[in-house]
């Protein structure tokens, strides 16, 4: 809601949670320090679940308020009558509340099920805060200077909180990080109220001058005053918590106050963690002697990134109804003669049809006299779909494989991966190498591809480098697949080299997208900048896995980024080159950019839903297998079984009859 109430409502939510955390975390830390106990009682686990439920209720209230206020969209996203988006600002706020609701749901699930990995609640909260920051970053483009500045200050608190919460995934129950998160949450709450007061003046009076630089200087100072006030609140609440603990120690024999999350056993590896355009645009009006559709075709052709002289000839002949491909020099000479007579008579203009023909001639001469330039990133729908399918297949496979591996490792407490797991990783690397090789061949040898030609000696210029960019991307994923296969060979590569090669491949992919030439295609650049977020997030996650091997939170996060990449590449194909034909989306419409930013967050929500559904299905399958086989651990690849009894160690049983199996 673009009013004072629309900013006061989320501000109140953040302020309440920040104040609650500023009391909760000091009490828990000081009570445990005083009693020197590492276990936390059942009471605080229930408090965590209640906190998640309150978060869900607040998120639902926010979504309903954004949708069903009198001037809200009322669940309508696109208006068929006006052919325009409906209240995208309200939809952006709804998306923000949606992710906080998902965070609350994960909090409740963490309390209900012991199989939920420790730290998943913090990861989901970090994702929600990051989504909030991403939405606000693209929320204030082309706004007045004061509006942009006051929201950019809010981004400092948002992204600080996202990074702090992400660190808590690995540094569980760190009081410094928890207090920092409480502080930035308080700042978000108070600054939302400040934004509402500055922009909407709830008590009336003159509005702030949005062009006065002194106002910007004051608000910058004011933001840090808010930060100082948050620090004072944290200090006061910590002092009050300390006094309460000291009084409990004097009055009671048991000073421990049960305000902590459930302690779960973690593996030792994670306990040591830290750690489309031309030089100028033309407009072509309807021509008397040429059909309007033909004029529009010429105008579209001029807006294409790079076109050859031959295409100009063919198009011009098509416009004039000629079935020949020869060069219409006589027609051009006629137009030049008409232009010269117009200048002699004192007229500065010629007919629109002659102007179109002149532009076609300029295009031919331009292509004949200068070397071809590198075209902006234009890709077909099939190319985007191929790349999207590559990432989707691996994301879906990992969303099943990693939960199964985690549940089995938790039940069996095995440190070394089984032979079946190793064979699965070898097979995965082979499939990755095969997909990458297929992508290289497709990019090079499609009819419009470079066919392994990088430089053209005839034109003294590079060939279409877009295909070479994608070829380079596939090349690094091919190397990653080869490393996966060789890691389980007798060569015995260092542990973690497979994750390092995957991280390098993702970094290369992100850099190629960042430094590509998009020219003036603003929508194209925005789509790929959103894609780069998912790419670099996956690259950083894979890099952390080099040191935190088999960490289920990192594996789940990497899986979600691959699912997001796959679905978003399909979305890019639909937006830029629709498979049903016709022009792509308007590159200059700012509403399209706003909607696609929100749509990107919806894609990630869908990826999380797929990940959760597959994890739940994996848990059900794992329990079903345990019920079916009892105390027999079936190893399909070894061709033998291990019977485990309570009083003796496992004994290898040869494959004899069906009853023994």
């Amino acid at each position: 809601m673009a009013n004072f109430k629309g900013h006061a409502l989320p501000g109140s939510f953040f302020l309440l949670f920040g104040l609650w955390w500023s009391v909760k975390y000091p009490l828990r830390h000081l009570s445990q320090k005083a009693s020197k106990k590492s276990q936390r009682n059942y009471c605080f686990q229930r408090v965590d679940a209640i906190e998640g439920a309150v978060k869900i209720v607040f998120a639902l209230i926010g979504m309903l308020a954004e949708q069903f206020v009198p001037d809200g969209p009322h669940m309508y996203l696109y208006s068929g009558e006006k052919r325009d988006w409906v209240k995208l600002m309200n939809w952006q706020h709804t998306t923000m509340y949606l992710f906080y609701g998902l965070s609350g749901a994960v909090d409740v699930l963490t309390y209900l099920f012991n199989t939920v990995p420790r730290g998943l609640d913090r990861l989901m909260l970090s994702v929600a805060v990051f989504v909030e920051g991403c939405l606000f970053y693209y929320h204030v483009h082309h706004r007045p200077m004061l509006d942009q500045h006051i929201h950019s200050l809010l981004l400092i608190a948002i992204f600080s909180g996202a990074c702090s919460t992400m660190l808590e995934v690995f540094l569980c129950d760190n009081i410094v990080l928890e207090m920092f998160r409480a502080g930035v949450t308080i700042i978000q709450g108070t600054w939302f109220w400040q934004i509402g007061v500055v922009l909407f003046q709830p008590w009336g009076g003159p509005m702030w001058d949005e062009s006065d630089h002194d106002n910007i200087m004051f608000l910058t100072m004011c933001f840090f005053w808010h930060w100082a006030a948050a620090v004072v609140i944290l200090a006061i609440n910590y002092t009050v918590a300390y006094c309460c603990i000291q009084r409990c120690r004097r009055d009671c024999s048991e000073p421990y106050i049960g305000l902590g999350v459930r302690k779960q056993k973690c593996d030792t590896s994670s306990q040591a963690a830290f750690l489309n355009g031309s030089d100028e645009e033309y407009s072509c009006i309807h021509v008397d002697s040429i059909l309007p559709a033909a004029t529009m075709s010429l105008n579209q052709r001029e807006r294409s990134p790079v076109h050859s002289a031959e295409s100009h000839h063919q198009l011009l002949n098509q416009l004039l109804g000629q079935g020949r491909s020869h060069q219409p020099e006589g027609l051009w000479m006629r137009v030049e003669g008409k232009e010269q007579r117009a200048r002699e008579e004192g007229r500065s203009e010629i007919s629109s049809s002659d102007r179109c023909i002149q532009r076609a001639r300029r295009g031919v001469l331009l292509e004949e006299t200068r070397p071809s330039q590198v075209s902006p990133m234009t890709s077909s729908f099939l190319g985007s779909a191929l790349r999207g399918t590559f990432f989707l297949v691996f994301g879906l496979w990992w969303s099943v494989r990693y939960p199964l591996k985690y549940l089995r490792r938790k039940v069996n407490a095995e440190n070394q991966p089984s032979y079946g797991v190793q064979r699965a990783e070898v097979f995965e690397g082979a499939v990755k190498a095969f997909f990458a090789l297929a992508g290289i061949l497709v990019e090079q040898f499609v009819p419009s591809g470079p066919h392994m030609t990088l430089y053209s000696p005839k034109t003294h210029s590079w060939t279409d480098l877009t295909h070479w960019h994608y070829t380079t991307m596939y090349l690094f994923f091919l190397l990653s697949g080869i490393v996966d296969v060789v890691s389980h060979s007798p060569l015995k590569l260092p542990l973690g080299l497979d994750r390092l090669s995957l991280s390098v491949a993702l970094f290369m992919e992100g850099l190629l997208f960042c430094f590509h030439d998009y020219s003036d295609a603003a929508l194209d650049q925005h789509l790929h900048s959103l894609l780069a977020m998912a790419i670099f997030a996956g690259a950083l996650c894979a890099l952390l896995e080099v040191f935190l091997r088999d960490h289920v939170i990192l594996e789940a996060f990497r899986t979600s980024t691959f699912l997001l990449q796959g679905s978003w590449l399909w979305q890019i194909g639909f937006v830029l080159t629709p498979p049903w034909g016709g022009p792509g989306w308007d590159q200059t419409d700012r509403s399209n950019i706003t909607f696609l930013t929100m749509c990107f967050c919806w894609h990630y929500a869908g990826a999380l839903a797929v990940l959760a559904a597959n994890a739940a299905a994996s848990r059900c399958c794992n329990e079903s297998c345990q019920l079916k086989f009892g105390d027999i651990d079936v190893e399909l690849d070894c061709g033998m079984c291990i019977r485990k009894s309570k009083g003796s160690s496992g004994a290898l049983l040869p494959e004899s009859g069906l009853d023994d199996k």
Side-chain angles (χ1 to χ4, degrees):
M1 294 178 287
N3 52 38
F4 176 76
K5 294 180 180 179
H7 288 79
L9 180 65
S12 301
F13 291 164
F14 287 112
L15 196 56
L16 286 174
F17 272 93
L19 292 173
W20 160 243
W21 287 338
S22 68
V23 175
K24 164 186 159 185
Y25 292 129
L27 278 176
R28 189 190 68 188
H29 170 70
L30 293 171
S31 62
Q32 292 171 355
K33 187 176 180 181
S35 61
K36 297 182 180 180
K37 289 184 179 181
S38 60
Q39 276 192 334
R40 306 182 181 96
N41 64 9
Y42 185 70
C43 175
F44 188 77
Q45 297 177 19
R46 298 184 65 180
V47 171
D48 269 354
I50 294 173
E51 181 182 311
V54 171
K55 198 184 295 183
I56 294 174
V57 171
F58 280 3
L60 287 176
I61 292 173
M63 287 190 286
L64 294 176
E66 290 291 340
Q67 288 293 321
F68 296 106
V69 290
D71 59 340
H74 297 273
M75 302 303 295
Y76 285 98
L77 181 60
Y78 190 80
S79 173
E81 298 178 356
K82 299 180 180 179
R83 298 184 180 276
D84 197 8
W85 304 108
V86 178
K87 299 287 184 180
L88 285 183
M89 187 178 297
N90 294 69
W91 277 103
Q92 280 198 325
H93 295 164
T94 303
T95 304
M96 179 190 75
Y97 287 123
L98 171 65
F99 274 84
Y100 280 106
L102 293 176
S103 174
V106 172
D107 291 345
V108 176
L109 292 175
T110 303
Y111 165 73
L112 294 177
F113 301 103
N114 292 328
T115 54
V116 175
R118 189 183 185 202
L120 188 62
D121 52 345
R122 297 294 185 269
L123 177 63
M124 192 60 233
L125 179 59
S126 175
V127 169
V129 179
F130 179 81
V131 167
E132 177 196 358
C134 182
L135 289 172
F136 274 109
Y137 178 76
Y138 293 105
H139 189 70
V140 293
H141 284 186
H142 301 284
R143 293 272 193 95
M145 183 171 57
L146 183 68
D147 196 347
Q148 287 190 25
H149 182 71
I150 199 170
H151 281 91
S152 65
L153 292 173
L154 179 64
L155 292 177
I156 297 175
I158 292 174
F159 286 120
S160 298
C163 294
S164 172
T165 311
M166 179 62 74
L167 288 176
E168 289 186 62
V169 177
F170 312 104
L171 298 176
C172 299
D173 306 328
N174 187 295
I175 183 61
V176 176
L177 292 176
E178 289 169 341
M179 294 297 287
F180 182 79
R181 170 160 54 89
V184 295
T185 305
I186 292 174
I187 294 168
Q188 284 191 63
T190 58
W191 197 247
F192 264 114
W193 277 84
Q194 182 73 56
I195 292 173
V197 170
V198 170
L199 298 182
F200 302 104
Q201 288 287 356
W203 52 77
M207 303 296 291
W208 289 47
D209 186 358
E210 296 186 340
S211 60
D212 189 356
H213 189 70
D214 290 341
N215 288 337
I216 292 178
M217 293 177 63
F218 168 76
L219 286 173
T220 305
M221 284 190 306
C222 187
F223 175 75
F224 293 105
W225 294 347
H226 280 252
W227 202 301
V231 172
V232 171
I233 292 173
L234 291 177
I236 293 173
N237 289 347
Y238 192 93
T239 304
V240 172
Y242 177 79
C243 295
C244 291
I245 294 298
Q246 294 299 320
R247 184 169 183 177
C248 287
R249 292 185 66 183
R250 288 194 302 266
D251 298 343
C252 305
S253 59
E254 178 57 53
Y256 179 74
I257 298 177
L259 292 178
V261 295
R262 180 176 73 255
K263 180 73 175 179
Q264 299 178 354
K265 292 183 179 180
C266 302
D267 51 354
T268 56
S269 62
S270 54
Q271 289 296 340
F274 115 89
L275 290 181
N276 291 323
S278 54
D279 294 336
E280 53 182 343
E281 292 188 350
Y282 301 94
S283 60
C284 196
I285 60 176
H286 293 265
V287 186
D288 298 332
S289 58
I290 302 178
L291 294 176
T295 305
M296 292 174 62
S297 176
L298 179 60
N299 193 35
Q300 280 185 349
R301 186 65 182 174
E302 288 183 343
R303 292 177 184 270
S304 63
V306 174
H307 40 275
S308 63
E310 181 182 359
S311 63
H312 275 295
H313 296 318
Q314 294 176 354
L315 178 62
L316 187 58
N317 290 326
Q318 180 184 358
L319 293 177
L320 299 176
Q322 300 174 3
R324 304 179 301 275
S325 61
H326 65 272
Q327 187 167 303
E329 292 289 349
L331 180 63
W332 292 342
M333 293 176 64
R334 178 180 62 82
V335 173
E336 289 178 355
K338 292 174 65 176
E339 185 180 12
Q340 184 177 2
R341 287 195 300 272
R343 285 197 299 268
E344 292 174 354
E345 295 174 3
R347 291 183 288 111
S348 60
E349 295 183 354
I350 59 176
S351 67
S352 57
S353 60
D354 293 337
R355 192 179 303 113
C356 291
I357 295 171
Q358 276 189 328
R359 291 205 299 272
R361 174 173 173 77
R362 277 199 298 270
V364 174
L365 295 177
L366 185 64
E367 292 300 324
E368 290 176 346
T369 56
R370 71 177 181 186
S372 61
Q373 298 177 350
V374 179
S375 64
M377 180 173 282
T378 55
S379 59
S380 65
F381 174 79
L382 290 178
S384 296
L386 176 65
R387 291 181 284 275
T389 304
F390 173 80
F391 288 103
L392 269 178
V393 167
F394 276 92
L396 292 173
W397 161 244
W398 288 339
S399 68
V400 175
R401 176 193 161 199
Y402 289 136
L404 280 175
K405 187 178 73 171
Y406 167 74
L407 292 170
R408 177 174 180 177
R409 187 173 65 243
K410 188 174 182 181
V411 171
N412 299 336
E414 295 176 354
N415 293 327
Q416 295 297 329
S418 65
Y419 184 64
V421 173
Q422 295 180 8
R423 291 192 62 179
E425 291 179 352
V426 171
F427 177 74
E428 179 184 308
V431 172
K432 189 191 299 182
F434 173 77
F435 277 5
L437 185 60
I440 292 174
L441 295 177
V442 169
E443 291 293 340
Q444 287 293 322
F445 297 106
V446 291
S448 60
H451 297 273
M452 302 303 296
T453 302
L454 183 59
Y455 188 83
S456 174
K458 295 182 180 179
T459 59
H460 298 286
S461 63
W462 304 107
T463 57
D464 189 0
L465 291 182
T466 300
H467 293 280
W468 279 102
H469 270 229
Y470 291 127
T471 300
T472 306
M473 180 191 78
Y474 284 124
L475 174 63
F476 276 89
F477 281 103
L478 173 63
L479 296 175
S480 174
I482 294 174
V483 172
D484 290 346
V485 174
V486 178
S487 295
H488 299 284
S489 68
L491 293 177
K492 297 296 181 182
L493 296 180
L495 187 65
L497 190 60
D498 52 346
R499 295 295 187 269
L500 181 61
S501 64
L502 177 60
S503 176
V504 170
L506 289 169
F507 271 118
M508 291 302 107
E509 179 193 3
L511 289 174
L512 288 172
F513 279 120
C514 285
F515 293 102
H516 207 96
D517 178 21
Y518 298 96
S519 294
D520 296 328
L523 186 65
D524 193 355
Q525 184 175 6
H526 181 70
L527 283 167
H528 287 89
S529 67
L530 292 173
L531 177 64
M533 291 185 188
I535 294 171
F536 286 122
L540 180 60
C541 183
L543 184 60
L544 288 175
E545 288 185 72
V546 176
F547 312 102
L548 301 175
R549 187 74 178 183
D550 297 329
H551 196 290
V552 66
I553 298 295
L554 291 176
E555 291 171 340
F557 185 69
R558 170 162 53 88
T559 300
S560 68
T561 60
F562 265 63
L563 290 171
L564 179 59
Q565 283 188 63
S567 62
W568 194 246
L569 282 167
W570 276 82
Q571 180 73 55
I572 290 175
F574 279 110
V575 171
L576 299 181
T577 53
W580 49 80
W585 292 28
D586 186 1
Q587 296 272 356
T588 60
D589 189 353
R590 301 299 305 179
S591 296
N592 288 338
I593 293 179
T594 303
F595 168 75
L596 287 171
T597 305
M598 191 167 52
C599 186
F600 178 77
C601 299
W602 294 350
H603 275 255
Y604 193 63
L608 294 176
V610 170
L611 185 61
N614 288 348
S618 301
R619 180 175 181 269
C620 294
C621 291
N622 185 69
E623 291 180 351
S624 177
C625 290
Q626 289 180 7
L627 292 174
K628 182 179 295 185
F629 298 108
D631 62 340
I632 297 178
D633 183 15
V634 179
E635 186 65 66
L636 297 178
D637 297 296
C638 292
M640 56 185 63
C641 303
I642 301 176
R643 185 183 298 277
K644 296 179 180 178
S645 61
K646 296 182 179 179
S648 62
S649 59
L652 294 179
L653 301 176
E655 294 190 63
S656 55
L658 296 176
D659 295 335
D660 292 335
K661 287 186 179 181

